[in-house]
């Protein structure tokens, strides 16, 4: 098929690479807010496993062509839109431009996270009876975007016309061979389902963080509670790990979008607002534990932080807990040394000029120099099995604050270090 992909999001880059790799002829039209000259320098594109290499390979082969306007196009079967929420109006105007140029059968795929009902707005712009708009919400996972696109657990397809449904199924047939993973539903239902899924996942995370706080107060190791809850088949283990808050450009945004949808329909969601409040409060959890350990005497101290990205496998720091944590530490005059395998550039752009911040590239142990305590914020695999005796030598106060509960408290304490996690603790 002849496919036009519009947008500069991870979803647009991934769709362009994956569709070109299975025989489709793809034209990628980056959004003017971030053209290819800017895109090829961003960390998230270059750090996403296999993505940049795949894009470059198919550009060289001619399966994928970058364009800046619609003048070179003669025929399009699929118009795939994957832009950011704030680019909705420009995407609508580009559709008007496209249909004025190309008068032929067309299926528009809305792969963006827009307000519920936007797919219908797209279809209203299509003048022919054989032109359709469908909703196919972005379900990618950063850090494994190609894997989740090419081996999907499900596609939520909002389509109300059989010709459109068949064409989208054909478009994605190469990624749907093992079993039929399409869940076909009305367009508004697909748009709302995407938001509802992330709302449920966020609620599970925030609830588990509340339980972890209660465990701290009662002197209970939250790991016993988590294991007991997860073993109940009505609950399961997914998204049941306490931590120092979630972030990311999609998860937090979708939760706020769902709250907006509730508000626009005249329904206020006390639950969603509370979930958001819990998450923001949890981003300061490690700071509060540091404060308690030193009885509030923090000025002049140095803290090492391992991990800045909002999750392992990405270079993004959008809404990441480290941003809130840094502000709390700096307000108390704490010097911070941060190490991250991928996100230092993004952190430098956002906060790098601060006099109390040092970005440590290369060896993660270099961040420990002169530090009183270590905060583990992002659970990159390189941090899971550190040299504990080196940490004991380097950390002045021997304090390890584990924001993701990846370490074994008893083992850390056996190495002569003080361990404080989320609902877990141990001392030498």
């Amino acid at each position: 098929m002849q496919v036009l992909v519009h947008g500069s999001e991870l979803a647009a880059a991934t769709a362009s690479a994956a569709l070109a790799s299975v025989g489709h002829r793809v034209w990628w039209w980056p959004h003017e807010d971030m053209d290819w000259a800017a895109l090829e320098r961003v960390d998230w594109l270059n750090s996403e496993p296999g993505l940049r290499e795949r894009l470059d390979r198919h550009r060289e082969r001619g399966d994928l062509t970058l364009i800046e306007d619609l003048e070179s196009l003669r025929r399009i079967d699929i118009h795939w839109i994957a832009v950011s929420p704030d680019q909705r109006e420009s995407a609508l105007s580009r559709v008007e431009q496209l249909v004025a140029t190309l008068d032929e059968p067309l299926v528009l795929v809305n792969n963006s996270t827009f307000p519920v009902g936007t797919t219908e707005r797209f279809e209203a712009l299509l003048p022919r009876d054989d032109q359709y708009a469908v909703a196919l919400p972005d379900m990618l996972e950063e850090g494994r975007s190609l894997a989740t696109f090419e081996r999907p657990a499900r596609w939520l397809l909002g389509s109300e016309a059989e010709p459109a449904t068949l064409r989208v199924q054909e478009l994605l047939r190469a990624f749907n061979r093992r079993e039929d993973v399409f869940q076909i539903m009305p367009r508004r239902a697909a748009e709302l389902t995407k938001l509802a899924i992330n709302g449920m996942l966020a609620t599970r995370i925030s609830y588990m963080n509340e339980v972890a706080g209660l465990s701290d107060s009662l002197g209970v190791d939250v790991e016993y509670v988590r294991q007991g809850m997860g073993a109940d088949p009505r609950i399961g283990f997914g998204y049941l790990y306490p931590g120092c808050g979630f972030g990311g450009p999609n998860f937090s945004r979708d939760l706020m979008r769902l709250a907006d949808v509730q508000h626009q329909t005249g329904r206020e969601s006390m639950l969603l607002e509370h979930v958001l409040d819990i998450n923001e409060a949890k981003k300061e959890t490690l700071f509060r534990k540091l404060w308690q350990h030193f009885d509030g005497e923090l000025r002049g101290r140095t803290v090492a932080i391992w991990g800045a990205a909002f999750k392992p496998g990405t270079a993004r720091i959008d809404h990441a807990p480290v941003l809130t944590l840094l502000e709390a530490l700096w307000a108390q005059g704490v010097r911070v040394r941060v190490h991250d395998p991928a996100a230092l550039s993004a952190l430098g752009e956002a906060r790098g000029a601060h006099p109390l911040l040092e970005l440590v590239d290369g060896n993660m142990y270099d961040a420990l120099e002169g530090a009183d305590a270590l905060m583990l914020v992002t659970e990159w695999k390189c941090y899971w099995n550190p040299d504990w005796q080196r940490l004991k030598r380097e950390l002045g106060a021997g304090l390890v604050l584990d924001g993701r509960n990846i370490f074994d408290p008893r083992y850390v304490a056996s190495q002569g270090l003080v361990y404080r996690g989320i609902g877990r603790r141990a001392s030498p």
Side-chain angles (χ1 to χ4, degrees), residues 256-272:
M256 290 184 283
R257 177 74 68 192
L258 183 56
D260 289 342
V261 170
Q262 293 261 46
H263 179 73
Q264 291 166 8
T265 59
R267 300 172 58 87
E268 299 300 329
S269 176
M270 295 177 62
L271 173 61
L272 291 177

Side-chain angles (χ1 to χ4, degrees), residues 91-151:
L92 288 163
S93 66
R94 294 299 178 271
V95 171
E96 292 181 305
Q97 180 184 352
L98 176 67
V99 296
T101 305
L102 302 172
D103 184 24
E104 58 189 17
L106 176 72
V107 173
L108 183 152
V109 176
N110 176 16
N111 190 228
S112 307
T113 303
F114 290 143
V116 175
T118 300
T119 306
E120 294 170 6
R121 288 188 62 187
F122 279 123
E123 184 158 295
L125 299 174
L126 305 177
R128 293 174 44 141
D129 291 339
D130 56 0
Q131 294 177 335
Y132 310 94
V134 303
L136 191 74
D138 167 22
M139 305 294 283
L140 298 181
E141 296 179 28
E142 291 212 32
R144 51 190 304 268
S145 66
L146 280 172
T148 50
F149 191 102
E150 296 177 334
R151 293 185 292 278

